[in-house]
Amino acid sequence: MLTALYVMIGLALLLGIVLGYSALKFKVEGDPLIARIDAILPQTQCGQCGYPGCKPYATAIAKGEADINQCPPGGDAGVHALADLLGVEYKPLNAEHGEPKPKSVAVIDENVCIGCTLCIQACPVDAILGAAKHMHTVIASECTGCELCVAPCPVDCISMEPIAESPANWKWRYPVFEIKPERPVQKKSAA
Amino acid sequence: MNAIVNISRLLKDRLAKTGLSRFKGGVHPPQHKLESTTSPIRSVPVPKYLVLPLRQHVGNVSKLQVATGDHVLKGQLLAKADGQVSAAVHAPTSGVIASIGNQLIPHPSGLPDISITLESDGKDQWIERQALDYLAMSKPELLDHLREAGVVGLGGATFPSHIKLREDTRHPVRTLIINGAECEPYITCDDMLMRERADEIVRGIEIMRYLLDAEVCAIGIEDNKPEAIRAMREAVAKSEIAINVIAVPTIYPGGGAKQLIKVITGKEVPSGRLPTEIGVQCFNVATAYSVHRVVNHGEPVISRVVTVTGNVAHAGNYEAPLGISISELVQLAGGQAEDGDLIMGGPMMGFNLPAVDVPVVKATNCIIVPSAEMFPDPEPALPCIRCTRCADACPVNLQPQELYWFSKSQNLEKAREYDIFDCIECGCCTYVCPSNIPLVQYYRYAKSEIIAQDRAKEAADIARERNEFRLMRIEREKQERAQKHAQKAAGAKAETGADNAVEAAKKAAIAAAVERAKAQKAEVVAKNTEAVSPRVEAEIAKIEARRAQQPEPLRQPEQAQLFAESQEAEVTSASSQVESLQPLSKDKQPTEEAK
Amino acid sequence: MNRSPYLTDAPSVTSIMLRVLLALVPGIAAYVWVFGGGILVTLALASVTALSVEALMLKLRGRPIRMFITDGSALVTAWLLALALPPLAPWWLIVLGTAIAIVLAKQLYGGLGYNPFNPAMVAYAALLISFPLLMTSWPAPLTLAEIQLGFVEQMQFIFSGALPTGVALDAVTSATPLDYLKTQLTLNHSMEEISQSSIFGSLGGQGIELIAAGYLLGGLYLIQQRIITWHLPTAFLASIALIAAIFYLADASRFADPAFHLFSGATMLCAFFIITDPVSGPTTPKGKLIFAAGIGFMTYIIRVYGGYPDGVAFAVIFFNICVPLIDAYTQPRVFGHEK
Ligand code: SF4
Ligand code: SF4
Ligand code: SF4
Ligand code: SF4
């Protein structure tokens, strides 16, 4: 009995050493904390977190000034990733900072735009093109959907349009099937 | 330990004794190929309407070359390849472009996509066709021809062929493999094509070999198609180049490109790389056939052979014009189907069509009209019991049960680490799972989720860069302005009056512009102004409030003005701009309230 | 919408489990031959307990009852435990053990497919620790016992602990060969003297070797049916044989020969039925080899040096803990990857 115990303890110790060693060996040296947090943030630069952009928010998190659940564009997945990185408990998104919305892009109604450049100045990623007094357009691929250009427009010609699903960006769904012992008899495939 | 595993493998290989290699795993589903091989390939009358999606291939959507109302001839270019990874679309018959717009396409998403609708004029009148003397042409020229003719892989992958046929100086292709394995149950279009048009296929192979300068040519055909093997052997005997017809063992998924390459050459295509890296290139027999049609007849890809089988009266192969509605094909075969019933592709890797009324595209190799008995609903899934039957069946030697676990728990990083991207979605694992777990569906989900995340990450990186660049530029301009300002301060101070004048003029100009815009808006109805729901309005108000509070540099008028300065050359004075901006944003409030 | 592959060809979980039960039949037949029909009572008792406890737990957990009750996994657990317990164990020990296996070791971890430990072995270990005496008192094989109990008398004994009048407990029990070997060795008897005892057969324990042969037969059937792979049993038996051979060659007077170790105790049951539990075992081919060889090694060590006569249960549980680690480090080479 005792011998068996010793054997087990011995093996457990051995295992512990192996584990500890591999943890040390495979440890990855990473970027400084702020950069790693910033890498998780969606870079929408919308300011909903209460900071002027993603980097400042990342800095605030790293300093411990801000909570991890203030970024709606990052969504739940983002909070999870932050919680993982920082080794803290996950918490649901703080509703004060807004709800996650489907990803959108800004669209400028070119008939209405007066070319005042206010939106250009507001856009954190220079996604709007246009010269003064000329109609402006949004480069859709660069637009992060931050909505910062919507409010400054004096003629309200900017609208946010959710990105439509197309065969190009379509994703497979999570397979849903229920564990049910008695299935209703179906004639056709559940298409 | 390794030794034991290796010895057992060696023994197995000894037993094979065919000179061919084998890949691990695989399954033997019932073939069901006889039903559709009893009669020759049938031709299909040209229907009244043809629908031609612009996305029929891997890569960029083709660029539209026609407009509604245009009259086109059979074989005329409708949309040309956009960039290298793209392919052209041609008119399968002569007629008039009836419309261009979103139509349902045969895609697992069930989403519509941009398509051309062609109304046939019944004349089926060809454009001028010209055979090419390819040996006299430069290779790039010939490749351009293939690109313009819309040649893509017809095995189902629809990757533009001209790219695969480019000579790669770093990885010269030694072995050209033509894939006639056709391992999926029910599908027989390649089989019939080989039986009936072996010579044409060989002509195509000759062209491909010429382009790639391959030393060895081999056609791999599963040994369950003796007629096709015989026909191909006869055809290659007549050819001037040496082509090997190899009967490969019948096992699913032996027709997967990487699997076939392994069987024939014994080499594995490195993960995530192209076969050219091991000096091999692989094409489907139907692709070889269409290369022949393009080069030797001047006919672009406007039709393909489609197997229609399952619960139909005349199962068989039909040479269908691209764009014909699948429901017409099914009717022709004497079958009936409802939306959501039909399966495109084989029973192992195919998918349910969103509707019966979707067009035949270049990827449509097979249409199965299922009956309830053919593919019964799956039993409800039980938890995974880790029996590893799936791992034994996996041709890629993955651990499907682990991938399932990671995909199910959305542990996507782990799934990637366990090489989910090496999964070829062949379905062998699901085929043998005693717990009836739809494993492949989980992998498809996990893969597309990972891809989407990677894209988002890329976009975020670009956004970060652009944002940093912007902040840097603002900083730089601030310094420049400070310099300028200092210079100015040293100069005249009496210019304020003039400044005011400029400012007033500017204000008036903006006010006028706002008026104009308002007038315009009355007609055009801007999207987010009229008829906005109270919720949206509240949203806008909130965003504004947020912006107003923001302490960040972006909001500082000073910087906004800096940017404006660089944009507006005519405004010389910095301070005047600041003021001209302030009233402007105040102006906005009444506009808002007026609604 | 899309559920390809539309075709499947897989035995159901139920049919797999039923075939495992079928594979146990030769062993059970030998068991009845050697120890009498009492084992049938034990099996029935364990089965009924397992099914009812499983149903109860499924109901409490709000899981579909019929689907999981019919998968047959509870029966397999129950039978394995019943076969591992001493014959003629009192009814409450059987019920308690089965309940532990199903409730603690299986359902509380999430039921079928989620148990990290082999349920039968968890129950066995729990009983061994709590009731060491009961768990180690084995009846003598019928051919050796002074008095042979009939089926009815065995049943009486199981349910009431009462022996026919005039029969002393000693008359029906005897030390198991493993037990006997250990006590005799501590008394400094040599192997030759010990193996003269009537409880030793030609290979393993008298009678027990017959049962072991039955299990071996069933195990080969399972391999033939592709329900288990050769890796686990082979590595397990080879590892026991190897280490036993080493010790035996080193000192034949103090260590039993490899054949004895292979054909006594629960070695064969373990090789083909216990360590082959898919849920709690490793999944990679190499992992299976390591896992089974490790259990074999540890079983031998506990047998020879440990306090318990047979160490299979502890060895299995210990290596169950190591499974994730083993799997993680033995991932096979994926097609197109360098190793
Ligand atoms: S809330 Fe907006 S600015 Fe803040 S971190 Fe998220 S995306 Fe970046
Ligand atoms: S265009 Fe508008 S919504 Fe898009 S990134 Fe720029 S400010 Fe944000
Ligand atoms: S075949 Fe099914 S039950 Fe078996 S290990 Fe694979 S996923 Fe699990
Ligand atoms: S679908 Fe993927 S995991 Fe499953 S058997 Fe095929 S390659 Fe392996």
Short mmCIF file of all heavy atoms in Angstrom, two decimals, chain C residues 90-107:
data_model
loop_
_atom_site.label_atom_id
_atom_site.label_comp_id
_atom_site.label_asym_id
_atom_site.label_seq_id
_atom_site.Cartn_x
_atom_site.Cartn_y
_atom_site.Cartn_z
N PRO C 90 -20.91 -9.49 -1.47
CA PRO C 90 -22.28 -9.23 -1.01
C PRO C 90 -23.00 -8.26 -1.94
O PRO C 90 -22.39 -7.41 -2.56
CB PRO C 90 -22.08 -8.64 0.38
CG PRO C 90 -20.65 -8.23 0.45
CD PRO C 90 -19.90 -9.12 -0.48
N TRP C 91 -24.33 -8.42 -1.99
CA TRP C 91 -25.12 -7.65 -2.96
C TRP C 91 -24.91 -6.16 -2.79
O TRP C 91 -24.84 -5.42 -3.76
CB TRP C 91 -26.59 -8.01 -2.83
CG TRP C 91 -27.20 -7.57 -1.51
CD1 TRP C 91 -27.22 -8.30 -0.36
CD2 TRP C 91 -27.81 -6.32 -1.22
NE1 TRP C 91 -27.82 -7.58 0.64
CE2 TRP C 91 -28.19 -6.35 0.13
CE3 TRP C 91 -28.08 -5.18 -1.98
CZ2 TRP C 91 -28.82 -5.28 0.75
CZ3 TRP C 91 -28.71 -4.11 -1.36
CH2 TRP C 91 -29.08 -4.16 0.01
N TRP C 92 -24.79 -5.68 -1.58
CA TRP C 92 -24.72 -4.22 -1.39
C TRP C 92 -23.41 -3.66 -1.91
O TRP C 92 -23.32 -2.52 -2.33
CB TRP C 92 -24.94 -3.84 0.07
CG TRP C 92 -23.98 -4.51 1.03
CD1 TRP C 92 -24.19 -5.65 1.74
CD2 TRP C 92 -22.67 -4.06 1.36
NE1 TRP C 92 -23.10 -5.96 2.50
CE2 TRP C 92 -22.15 -4.99 2.29
CE3 TRP C 92 -21.89 -2.97 0.99
CZ2 TRP C 92 -20.88 -4.87 2.84
CZ3 TRP C 92 -20.62 -2.84 1.54
CH2 TRP C 92 -20.13 -3.80 2.45
N LEU C 93 -22.39 -4.52 -1.87
CA LEU C 93 -21.10 -4.07 -2.40
C LEU C 93 -21.23 -3.85 -3.92
O LEU C 93 -20.74 -2.87 -4.47
CB LEU C 93 -20.03 -5.12 -2.12
CG LEU C 93 -18.59 -4.65 -2.30
CD1 LEU C 93 -18.21 -3.65 -1.22
CD2 LEU C 93 -17.63 -5.83 -2.28
N ILE C 94 -21.95 -4.76 -4.54
CA ILE C 94 -22.14 -4.65 -5.99
C ILE C 94 -22.95 -3.41 -6.33
O ILE C 94 -22.60 -2.62 -7.22
CB ILE C 94 -22.83 -5.91 -6.53
CG1 ILE C 94 -21.94 -7.13 -6.25
CG2 ILE C 94 -23.15 -5.79 -8.00
CD1 ILE C 94 -22.67 -8.44 -6.30
N VAL C 95 -24.04 -3.25 -5.60
CA VAL C 95 -24.91 -2.10 -5.87
C VAL C 95 -24.14 -0.81 -5.63
O VAL C 95 -24.15 0.12 -6.45
CB VAL C 95 -26.17 -2.17 -4.98
CG1 VAL C 95 -26.98 -0.89 -5.09
CG2 VAL C 95 -27.02 -3.37 -5.38
N LEU C 96 -23.46 -0.75 -4.51
CA LEU C 96 -22.71 0.45 -4.16
C LEU C 96 -21.66 0.73 -5.24
O LEU C 96 -21.52 1.87 -5.72
CB LEU C 96 -22.04 0.26 -2.80
CG LEU C 96 -21.26 1.48 -2.29
CD1 LEU C 96 -22.22 2.61 -1.99
CD2 LEU C 96 -20.44 1.12 -1.05
N GLY C 97 -20.93 -0.31 -5.60
CA GLY C 97 -19.88 -0.13 -6.61
C GLY C 97 -20.44 0.38 -7.92
O GLY C 97 -19.93 1.34 -8.50
N THR C 98 -21.51 -0.25 -8.38
CA THR C 98 -22.09 0.17 -9.65
C THR C 98 -22.57 1.61 -9.58
O THR C 98 -22.39 2.40 -10.50
CB THR C 98 -23.27 -0.75 -10.01
OG1 THR C 98 -22.88 -2.10 -9.75
CG2 THR C 98 -23.62 -0.62 -11.46
N ALA C 99 -23.18 1.94 -8.44
CA ALA C 99 -23.68 3.31 -8.29
C ALA C 99 -22.53 4.30 -8.32
O ALA C 99 -22.61 5.36 -8.96
CB ALA C 99 -24.47 3.43 -6.98
N ILE C 100 -21.44 3.95 -7.65
CA ILE C 100 -20.28 4.85 -7.69
C ILE C 100 -19.80 5.03 -9.13
O ILE C 100 -19.54 6.13 -9.59
CB ILE C 100 -19.13 4.28 -6.82
CG1 ILE C 100 -19.51 4.33 -5.35
CG2 ILE C 100 -17.84 5.07 -7.06
CD1 ILE C 100 -18.48 3.69 -4.43
N ALA C 101 -19.72 3.89 -9.82
CA ALA C 101 -19.22 3.96 -11.20
C ALA C 101 -20.09 4.86 -12.05
O ALA C 101 -19.60 5.73 -12.78
CB ALA C 101 -19.16 2.56 -11.80
N ILE C 102 -21.40 4.67 -11.95
CA ILE C 102 -22.29 5.42 -12.85
C ILE C 102 -22.45 6.86 -12.38
O ILE C 102 -22.37 7.80 -13.17
CB ILE C 102 -23.67 4.71 -12.92
CG1 ILE C 102 -23.51 3.29 -13.46
CG2 ILE C 102 -24.62 5.52 -13.79
CD1 ILE C 102 -23.04 3.20 -14.90
N VAL C 103 -22.70 7.05 -11.09
CA VAL C 103 -23.01 8.40 -10.62
C VAL C 103 -21.74 9.25 -10.51
O VAL C 103 -21.62 10.30 -11.16
CB VAL C 103 -23.72 8.36 -9.24
CG1 VAL C 103 -23.97 9.78 -8.75
CG2 VAL C 103 -25.01 7.60 -9.37
N LEU C 104 -20.82 8.79 -9.73
CA LEU C 104 -19.63 9.61 -9.47
C LEU C 104 -18.72 9.68 -10.68
O LEU C 104 -18.32 10.75 -11.13
CB LEU C 104 -18.84 9.03 -8.31
CG LEU C 104 -19.39 9.30 -6.93
CD1 LEU C 104 -18.43 8.76 -5.86
CD2 LEU C 104 -19.61 10.78 -6.71
N ALA C 105 -18.40 8.49 -11.21
CA ALA C 105 -17.34 8.48 -12.22
C ALA C 105 -17.85 8.80 -13.61
O ALA C 105 -17.08 9.16 -14.48
CB ALA C 105 -16.65 7.13 -12.23
N LYS C 106 -19.16 8.66 -13.83
CA LYS C 106 -19.63 8.91 -15.20
C LYS C 106 -20.56 10.11 -15.29
O LYS C 106 -20.24 11.11 -15.93
CB LYS C 106 -20.32 7.66 -15.72
CG LYS C 106 -20.72 7.76 -17.18
CD LYS C 106 -21.32 6.43 -17.64
CE LYS C 106 -21.89 6.59 -19.04
NZ LYS C 106 -22.80 5.47 -19.33
N GLN C 107 -21.71 10.01 -14.65
CA GLN C 107 -22.71 11.05 -14.86
C GLN C 107 -22.29 12.41 -14.31
O GLN C 107 -22.55 13.43 -14.92
CB GLN C 107 -24.06 10.62 -14.24
CG GLN C 107 -24.73 9.49 -14.99
CD GLN C 107 -25.18 9.93 -16.38
OE1 GLN C 107 -25.35 11.11 -16.65
NE2 GLN C 107 -25.34 8.97 -17.28
#
